[in-house]
Amino acid sequence: MMVLITYDVNTLSNSGKKRLRNVANACKDYGQRVQNSVFECSLTESQFLILRARLESIINIELDSIRFYFLGKNWERRIEKIGKITSFDISGDLII
């Protein structure tokens, strides 16, 4: 399933800045950054549950927030882009 993950982490303290880095690193492990606090992730159900638990363990629920948008199987038709595109098609072939 394609999941769009967005987050807002309070960075007024050093611990907030560390949480922000940790949230971004957790999301990088499962998807690609498409904007500063937005990731596109192609996940199985079990991967989603693992990532969600990991993110919950990182954030301060009184100061920070994370949103998960489930785009479904036809996600390509649900995304429109304007301007510079810095991401790649995660469902396509990747040559390293």
Side-chain angles (χ1 to χ4, degrees), residues 80-91:
E80 289 186 29
K81 302 168 192 161
I82 298 174
K84 182 179 176 182
I85 298 172
T86 58
S87 61
F88 59 91
D89 179 4
I90 61 176
S91 65

Side-chain angles (χ1 to χ4, degrees), residues 11-23:
T11 58
L12 295 178
S13 66
N14 286 335
S15 63
K17 292 173 186 172
K18 182 178 179 182
R19 287 193 314 275
L20 178 65
R21 285 189 305 275
N22 289 338
V23 166

Side-chain angles (χ1 to χ4, degrees), residues 31-92:
Q32 69 172 329
R33 184 190 301 263
V34 292
Q35 291 189 347
N36 285 337
S37 297
V38 181
F39 280 80
E40 291 176 348
C41 302
S42 180
L43 305 168
T44 64
E45 184 74 27
S46 61
Q47 287 173 323
F48 170 72
L49 294 174
I50 291 167
L51 177 56
R52 180 186 166 112
R54 182 173 168 188
L55 292 171
E56 281 183 289
S57 73
I58 295 169
I59 67 167
N60 178 331
I61 61 171
E62 295 179 7
L63 300 174
D64 310 326
S65 67
I66 298 177
R67 290 178 170 253
F68 302 97
Y69 297 91
F70 300 93
L71 301 181
K73 293 181 182 179
N74 296 319
W75 63 271
E76 292 97 341
R77 295 184 309 149
R78 296 181 179 170
I79 298 174
E80 289 186 29
K81 302 168 192 161
I82 298 174
K84 182 179 176 182
I85 298 172
T86 58
S87 61
F88 59 91
D89 179 4
I90 61 176
S91 65

